């Protein structure tokens, strides 16, 4: 049985979530973003450690992060096309939410469970966006591990950037 044949209509919105690379306005407004982040926060969280944090980037943030992506690219290869492409990444689509995970030593709850909880929160965010009629793209790559990008996003030494979540309306 194919995935489509197995679809129960009550689960339609889960099947509707697909990565959409080309996004345009409108994205979620401030009220909708608050609702999306509240939905993300309902993720199963063993020990209630809340090992995630979300940052909604405003235009200034995105410009700063774009410059950091370009700088990070230059440390690897300063080809003008690659630098331009790197700089464009955080500017794609009308809205970017950054997901950060922070796991701690805990007597009962290993790091991997805390990371799994943070990933569940990200998936909640993406599914909630789908439910509100928006598309999403969960992006990572080596950029999010780079010190320049981490600094531009204000990641603390014990936080891992686990996603740049682009939200918006699918471009025709
Ligand atoms: C932790 C994580 C990191 C991801 N990073 C990227 C990424 O850097 N670039 C990308 O195009 N997709 C990324 N994705 C999305 C997957 O590529 C995507 O979900 C997969 O291709 C299946 O497509 P679908 O989401 O439409 O089902 C990531 C997904 C996860 C869970």
């Amino acid at each position: 049985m194919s995935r489509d044949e197995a679809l129960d209509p009550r689960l339609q919105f889960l099947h509707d979530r697909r990565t959409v690379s080309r996004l345009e306005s409108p994205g979620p407004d401030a009220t909708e973003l608050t609702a999306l982040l509240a939905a993300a926060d309902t993720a199963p969280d063993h020990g209630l450690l809340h090992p995630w944090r979300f940052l909604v980037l405003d235009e200034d943030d995105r410009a700063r992060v774009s410059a950091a992506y370009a700088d990070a690219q230059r440390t690897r290869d300063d080809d003008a096309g690659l630098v331009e492409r790197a700089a464009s990444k955080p500017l794609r689509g009308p809205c970017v939410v950054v997901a950060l995970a922070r796991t701690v030593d805990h007597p009962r709850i290993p790091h991997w469970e805390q990371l799994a909880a943070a990933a569940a929160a990200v998936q909640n965010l993406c599914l909630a966006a789908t439910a509100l009629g928006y598309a999403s793209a969960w992006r990572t790559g080596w950029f999010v591990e780079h010190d320049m990008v981490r600094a531009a996003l204000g990641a603390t030494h014990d936080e891992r950037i686990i996603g740049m979540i682009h939200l918006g309306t699918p471009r025709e």
Side-chain angles (χ1 to χ4, degrees), residues 3 17-21 119 123 136-141 162-163:
R3 190 159 69 179
R17 189 217 55 81
R18 291 268 73 84
T19 299
V20 177
S21 295
Q123 175 69 343
S136 63
W138 179 342
R139 300 204 180 286
T140 48
I162 61 169

Side-chain angles (χ1 to χ4, degrees), residues 3-4 7 16-17 35 40 50 57 76 80-81 83 86 92 110-111 113 126-127 132 140:
R3 190 159 69 179
D4 284 347
L7 170 62
D16 286 345
R17 189 217 55 81
H50 204 275
L57 301 187
R76 292 199 161 196
V83 172
R92 292 177 189 165
H111 286 263
E113 290 195 14
C126 293
L127 290 174
L132 293 193
T140 48

Side-chain angles (χ1 to χ4, degrees), residues 118-159:
V122 178
Q123 175 69 343
N124 269 9
L125 179 74
C126 293
L127 290 174
T130 306
L132 293 193
Y134 298 105
S136 63
W138 179 342
R139 300 204 180 286
T140 48
W142 63 264
F143 290 99
V144 301
E145 312 262 14
H146 198 284
D147 283 349
M148 289 172 166
V149 172
R150 289 177 49 79
L153 288 168
T156 59
H157 73 280
D158 54 356
E159 282 182 318

